[in-house]
Amino acid sequence: FCYADKVYAFALENGLRIRIHTIVWYWHIPRQLTEYLQNRSAEDRKRLTFLFIKTYMQCLKERYPDAYSVELINEIAADPDEIRMLREEGKPVYEVDDEGVRIDEWYRLLGKHYYIEIFRLAREVFGDRIKLFYNDNNEGNREKQIIFKTVIDQIKAYEQEHGIRLIDGFGMQCHFWGSETETRAYMEEMFNHCKRLGVELQITEFDVSNHSTKEIQESIFSSFAEVASQYGIEVFTTWGLNDIVSWLHGEEASLVNSRCDPKPFTMKYIEAFSGKYNHEKSMEKKRNAD
């Protein structure tokens, strides 16, 4: 936890809140867990994995008590664009269930609809003091939008059956490719669909790659803040501090350049999102609605 502890300490010193990202992600299953599960029955592997996850949640709750939200499940929807690309490149394609959910190692350990139990455990551990999110990407893909809705509808069906609230929101990663198809109309359709999911929306991993022209990239940057601000988005998080400290190093995908100066369109984002999030007020509004 040493690096996360430093980030958390910095946040506290500067009056900032943090989100926890993430509990379950297909790309990573801790080695400590897989080694511990070796040579055990399927029933024991499932039971112990849920216990592992719950214990980890309890640790996070105690270590980072001022976090305002946690992304419990990340990228569990199969990505049709990714699958097509893998097939075109002759690479292995991952398995998908009949609802479009990735059949990864978590799925194999825990079974179909395992994400509902993840949300149930999280609500048990965190209570109402923290918002619980499902986080995913490529939100503009219409095939994938169906999977988002299926997952959230399954969680809501459990909520209705058991009289409890599990999911608070959907995290829109908003990693833009930098394509000429990513127009204002594309963004508006994307937000309109996500609004229909019936949960709070937060922007969680924003950046804009450059896979076409600089002009298109800058147009996406300029348009997005204007479009997103019309949909009641209160939380906006970038996926990189600047063009150097970024997973897209070299693509100038951030709001801050390599000299740590804001770019010309960055003020739009500050005006659109800065200071809009009030966690206590938001949670009170949610409780009243329930």
Side-chain angles (χ1 to χ4, degrees):
F1 293 102
C2 60
Y3 186 76
D5 287 349
K6 292 178 182 179
V7 173
Y8 186 66
F10 178 87
L12 292 180
E13 290 168 6
N14 291 275
L16 303 173
R17 305 291 292 274
I18 69 162
R19 69 187 311 111
I20 295 173
H21 174 93
T22 179
I23 305 297
V24 171
W25 184 36
Y26 73 91
W27 197 255
H28 179 238
I29 294 186
R31 185 182 67 252
Q32 299 95 322
L33 175 61
T34 55
E35 291 178 352
Y36 184 65
L37 296 178
Q38 287 180 1
N39 301 319
R40 298 181 185 271
S41 68
E43 181 179 348
D44 279 350
R45 288 199 300 270
K46 181 176 182 177
R47 177 180 59 83
L48 291 169
T49 299
F50 276 129
L51 178 60
F52 178 93
I53 292 170
K54 183 178 181 180
T55 303
Y56 183 56
M57 291 177 182
Q58 290 168 331
C59 179
L60 293 173
K61 176 186 176 182
E62 294 168 5
R63 201 171 191 100
Y64 309 117
D66 287 337
Y68 64 82
S69 67
V70 54
E71 284 147 8
L72 294 177
I73 53 174
N74 188 54
E75 300 175 1
I76 67 169
D79 193 307
D81 290 334
E82 179 186 23
I83 290 173
R84 280 190 287 268
M85 182 183 68
L86 290 171
R87 285 175 176 157
E88 288 171 2
E89 296 177 354
K91 296 179 180 178
V93 175
Y94 51 84
E95 293 182 77
V96 178
D97 77 1
D98 60 346
E99 294 180 348
V101 173
R102 290 176 184 265
I103 301 179
D104 56 18
E105 288 306 311
W106 294 110
Y107 189 110
R108 292 186 178 94
L109 281 167
L110 302 175
K112 190 179 180 69
H113 298 152
Y114 72 92
Y115 50 83
I116 297 176
E117 180 66 6
I118 300 295
F119 271 89
R120 192 197 67 77
L121 288 175
R123 188 60 75 195
E124 181 181 324
V125 171
F126 292 108
D128 289 332
R129 56 169 289 278
I130 192 168
K131 290 190 174 185
L132 306 180
F133 273 71
Y134 161 32
N135 191 60
D136 218 313
N137 58 20
N138 200 7
E139 308 91 313
N141 183 290
R142 292 184 180 181
E143 297 172 78
K144 202 168 184 181
Q145 289 170 357
I146 296 171
I147 307 172
F148 299 154
K149 189 173 190 309
T150 299
V151 169
I152 292 175
D153 283 352
Q154 290 287 357
I155 297 170
K156 286 184 174 182
Y158 185 93
E159 289 179 331
Q160 186 171 4
E161 181 181 353
H162 296 273
I164 58 175
R165 177 172 58 85
L166 297 182
I167 187 169
D168 291 299
F170 179 66
M172 302 174 64
Q173 293 186 15
C174 293
H175 292 296
F176 285 89
W177 187 251
S179 165
E180 61 183 6
T181 63
E182 292 168 333
T183 61
R184 291 180 70 99
Y186 170 91
M187 297 174 192
E188 288 167 357
E189 192 281 333
M190 177 182 78
F191 275 109
N192 282 329
H193 168 79
C194 291
K195 271 291 184 182
R196 291 193 291 271
L197 296 175
V199 293
E200 179 183 345
L201 302 179
Q202 294 184 0
I203 297 167
T204 57
E205 303 186 20
F206 176 77
D207 50 39
V208 182
S209 302
N210 183 3
H211 288 91
S212 52
T213 67
K214 189 69 176 174
E215 289 74 22
I216 289 175
Q217 183 187 34
E218 292 185 355
S219 175
I220 294 170
F221 268 122
S222 295
S223 297
F224 183 77
E226 298 169 2
V227 174
S229 63
Q230 300 173 20
Y231 288 85
I233 305 295
E234 294 183 335
V235 173
F236 173 84
T237 306
T238 61
W239 208 239
L241 294 176
N242 52 49
D243 286 342
I244 297 296
V245 185
S246 169
W247 73 297
L248 295 172
H249 178 75
E251 294 195 32
E252 300 182 344
S254 305
L255 295 175
V256 178
N257 67 25
S258 58
R259 299 184 302 279
C260 295
D261 297 322
K263 296 178 182 178
F265 42 74
T266 301
M267 185 54 66
K268 289 186 177 183
Y269 290 83
I270 295 173
E271 292 171 349
F273 303 113
S274 181
K276 286 198 171 182
Y277 187 66
N278 183 313
H279 180 265
E280 286 73 21
K281 184 177 179 180
S282 179
M283 293 303 292
E284 181 181 356
K285 185 191 301 182
K286 178 68 177 177
R287 285 193 293 270
N288 291 338
D290 291 343

